Amino acid sequence: MTSSKPLARFWEWGKNIICVGRNYAEHAKELKNTLPTEPLFFFKPSSAYVREGSPIIQPYYCNKLHHEVELGVVIGKRAQAVSQKTAMDHVAGYALCLDMTARDTQEECKKKGLPWTMAKGFNTSCPVSDFVPKEKVPDPHQLKIWLKVNGEMRQEGDTSDMIFSIPYIISYISGIVTLEEGDVILTGTPKGVSALQENDEIEAGIQGVLSMRFQVVRQKCRP
């Protein structure tokens, strides 16, 4: 797939980060959420990206920061109202992403019927790995993703357990929001999400493909 921009550095220029929620049944259950009948999705700003070597910053207003490890799908060709049959033609590759979540803030937003932006879209809320070309992943529904905190395994899941497949997600979202080259779709997280503390070390990976490391630091006060 040819591109006018370097997809290997999509985080530098891609416009949208679209996150699918509750796409693993066991994760939905652990948060006491009902299972969706259609994909639930929300956005993070592109400023949420952070790369290995820089820290994850826990916002000053957050007292319960949770990790969610996810397979990211990198769009390589504009997709508008595409079918499931052709959806994968629009995929350039993959990345490992973390959907960092201010869980206490999200819970308050839910109670008040407010958007989740402060809970999901803060700076450094989307740690991202190197780009993996589609050709190096024969079947994205047969991957194992995992996350450790201070060497302890917290999350471990199989992408085969997704409720909605990647072609279904792309087709569904593209019928509502046009997907552009460089956009990334986070496809949901398996069970095992848990709270993080300042100075915790996170290691996450796609088994046999790649891994990445981050440290958590806390924003001391409101700027």
Side-chain angles (χ1 to χ4, degrees), residues 182-196:
D183 286 353
V184 174
I185 302 172
L186 275 61
T187 55
T189 193
K191 68 178 181 178
V193 302
S194 63
L196 294 158

Side-chain angles (χ1 to χ4, degrees), residues 7 17 21 36 41 51 60 63 77 80 98 101 116 128 146 153 164-165 174 187 196 208 210 220:
L7 281 165
I17 304 170
F41 68 94
R51 292 278 293 153
Y60 67 89
N63 293 308
K77 184 172 67 172
Q80 184 176 31
L98 304 185
T101 303
W116 298 356
V128 62
W146 55 269
M153 189 69 76
F164 303 108
S165 70
S174 74
T187 55
L196 294 158
L210 54 73
K220 301 301 182 185

Side-chain angles (χ1 to χ4, degrees), residues 48-64:
Y49 283 130
V50 62
R51 292 278 293 153
E52 191 168 11
S54 296
I56 295 168
I57 301 172
Q58 180 173 347
Y60 67 89
Y61 53 81
C62 170
N63 293 308
K64 191 192 293 184

Side-chain angles (χ1 to χ4, degrees), residues 9-207:
R9 301 186 70 83
F10 64 87
W11 56 85
E12 293 181 347
W13 55 270
K15 294 178 182 177
N16 296 308
I17 304 170
I18 305 104
C19 306
V20 177
R22 306 178 193 174
N23 200 28
Y24 288 75
E26 292 302 315
H27 170 61
K29 290 176 184 176
E30 73 180 346
L31 295 184
K32 298 180 174 58
N33 290 319
T34 57
L35 295 181
T37 56
E38 293 287 5
L40 163 69
F41 68 94
F42 57 91
F43 287 80
K44 290 178 183 277
S46 58
S47 56
Y49 283 130
V50 62
R51 292 278 293 153
E52 191 168 11
S54 296
I56 295 168
I57 301 172
Q58 180 173 347
Y60 67 89
Y61 53 81
C62 170
N63 293 308
K64 191 192 293 184
L65 181 68
H66 277 192
H67 54 77
E68 298 187 6
V69 64
E70 313 203 9
L71 178 67
V73 177
V74 182
I75 300 299
K77 184 172 67 172
R78 191 173 188 268
Q80 184 176 31
V82 300
S83 68
Q84 292 185 58
K85 184 177 180 180
T86 63
M88 295 304 289
D89 295 341
H90 297 264
V91 174
Y94 306 92
L96 188 68
C97 302
L98 304 185
D99 173 13
M100 303 305 299
T101 303
R103 191 71 69 196
D104 51 343
T105 306
Q106 184 186 35
E107 290 165 354
E108 283 300 309
C109 290
K110 285 181 177 180
K111 288 177 186 176
K112 296 175 181 178
L114 297 174
W116 298 356
T117 308
M118 287 183 67
K120 292 284 195 176
F122 55 89
N123 289 339
T124 76
S125 64
C126 190
V128 62
S129 74
D130 290 343
F131 173 73
V132 181
K134 181 167 66 173
E135 295 73 25
K136 293 189 176 181
V137 180
D139 185 352
H141 301 98
Q142 296 295 328
L143 297 173
K144 292 185 181 295
I145 56 176
W146 55 269
L147 181 143
K148 296 179 181 179
V149 178
N150 301 326
E152 176 189 355
M153 189 69 76
R154 296 281 182 91
Q155 288 187 270
E156 199 170 11
D158 296 292
T159 56
S160 60
D161 290 334
M162 290 182 189
I163 296 171
F164 303 108
S165 70
I166 292 169
Y168 189 95
I169 290 168
I170 292 171
S171 177
Y172 181 83
I173 293 175
S174 74
I176 302 167
V177 177
T178 299
L179 296 169
E180 301 284 359
E181 181 184 10
D183 286 353
V184 174
I185 302 172
L186 275 61
T187 55
T189 193
K191 68 178 181 178
V193 302
S194 63
L196 294 158
Q197 306 297 323
E198 187 174 11
N199 297 319
D200 276 352
E201 294 279 352
I202 298 172
E203 183 181 8
I206 304 171
Q207 185 174 304

